[in-house]
């Protein structure tokens, strides 16, 4: 039996533009919602370790007060409630998150329209363990409400000795 006879779909690409072919493939292979066409990575990082080279959008949150300088909060990270509460307690943080939310929810449908399949959003602070982590988590939750494939990754959290120790302890218990 010939392969063509076994297929369920055939696309004649003779007179099709690249974007039209991409749309046809997405229609055939993707979930129903157009938002499923894009995977979104929200990545926290520390500027002192360098900016990620693959980010499409980068936001700098170093204007928000730094928990690093609070001796009680310094050992924690942006995944800990104490730090999240501290970072989110500032009006400028709340306003910033709202403005970034509006910008992303405005722009993402246009990225999808243009055929972009992966969007990488970088959130940077000085060390990549307090402010950027808390805000990346918050942005990830906001985007997960609308888009299906959202991942939050903390690139420089491993550089944090406390977080690294916690991870080793957790792995040892497993």
């Amino acid at each position: 039996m010939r392969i063509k006879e076994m297929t369920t779909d055939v696309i004649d690409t003779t007179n099709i533009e690249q974007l039209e072919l991409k749309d046809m493939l997405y229609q055939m292979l993707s979930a129903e919602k157009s938002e499923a066409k894009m995977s979104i990575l929200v990545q926290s990082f520390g500027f002192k370790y360098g900016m990620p080279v693959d980010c499409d959008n980068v936001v700098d949150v170093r204007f928000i007060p730094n928990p690093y300088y609070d001796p009680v909060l310094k050992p924690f990270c942006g995944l800990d409630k104490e730090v999240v509460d501290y970072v989110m307690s500032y009006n400028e943080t709340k306003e910033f998150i709202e403005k970034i939310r509006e910008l992303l929810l405005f722009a993402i449908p246009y990225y999808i329209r243009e055929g972009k399949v992966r969007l990488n959003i970088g959130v940077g602070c000085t060390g990549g363990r307090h402010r950027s982590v808390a805000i990346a988590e918050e942005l990830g939750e906001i985007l997960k409400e609308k888009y299906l494939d959202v991942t939050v990754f903390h690139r420089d959290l491993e550089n944090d000795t406390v977080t690294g120790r916690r991870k080793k302890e957790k792995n040892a218990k497993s």
Side-chain angles (χ1 to χ4, degrees):
M1 182 181 271
R2 291 181 41 194
I3 292 176
K4 188 174 182 180
E5 294 167 358
M6 295 185 295
T7 62
T8 56
D9 296 294
V10 176
I11 299 174
D12 179 2
T13 59
T14 308
N15 296 313
I16 292 180
E17 296 287 325
Q18 182 179 2
L19 285 176
E20 187 179 358
L21 175 60
K22 188 183 279 189
D23 285 342
M24 291 174 80
L25 289 170
Y26 274 129
Q27 262 182 344
M28 290 170 53
L29 303 173
S30 293
E32 293 294 317
K33 292 186 173 187
S34 64
E35 287 84 5
K37 292 182 182 181
M38 176 179 280
S39 67
I40 300 171
L41 174 66
V42 181
Q43 177 179 185
S44 71
F45 69 93
F47 278 101
K48 73 180 184 179
Y49 301 111
M51 279 182 30
V53 295
D54 55 348
C55 285
D56 301 295
N57 295 281
V58 175
V59 294
D60 181 349
V61 298
R62 290 177 289 184
F63 68 92
I64 296 168
N66 194 346
Y68 176 85
Y69 296 110
D70 182 326
V72 173
L73 297 175
K74 183 177 180 177
F76 295 102
C77 75
L79 298 174
D80 295 309
K81 184 180 181 340
E82 297 87 346
V83 171
V84 172
D85 290 347
Y86 177 88
V87 170
M88 298 303 173
S89 71
Y90 291 92
N91 287 331
E92 57 263 39
T93 304
K94 293 172 193 154
E95 187 175 345
F96 177 76
I97 288 172
E98 181 56 28
K99 289 180 183 297
I100 291 298
R101 183 191 75 76
E102 287 176 16
L103 175 66
L104 292 172
L105 294 181
F106 168 80
I108 289 171
Y110 296 111
Y111 283 124
I112 292 170
R113 180 189 71 191
E114 293 301 311
K116 190 155 183 62
V117 295
R118 182 167 175 87
L119 184 67
N120 190 343
I121 302 163
V123 181
C125 67
T126 306
R129 63 183 250 207
H130 291 110
R131 298 167 291 180
S132 63
V133 171
I135 291 173
E137 286 288 327
E138 182 69 18
L139 287 177
E141 289 304 311
I142 288 167
L143 293 172
K144 284 176 186 175
E145 291 175 11
K146 178 146 176 72
Y147 297 96
L148 301 175
D149 187 8
V150 178
T151 303
V152 179
F153 172 68
H154 306 295
R155 186 192 76 178
D156 295 326
L157 204 50
E158 290 297 315
N159 294 325
D160 173 15
T161 56
V162 175
T163 305
R165 187 175 67 241
R166 267 197 231 133
K167 188 172 184 179
K168 287 177 187 171
E169 291 169 358
K170 184 179 176 183
N171 290 340
K173 291 179 185 176
S174 300

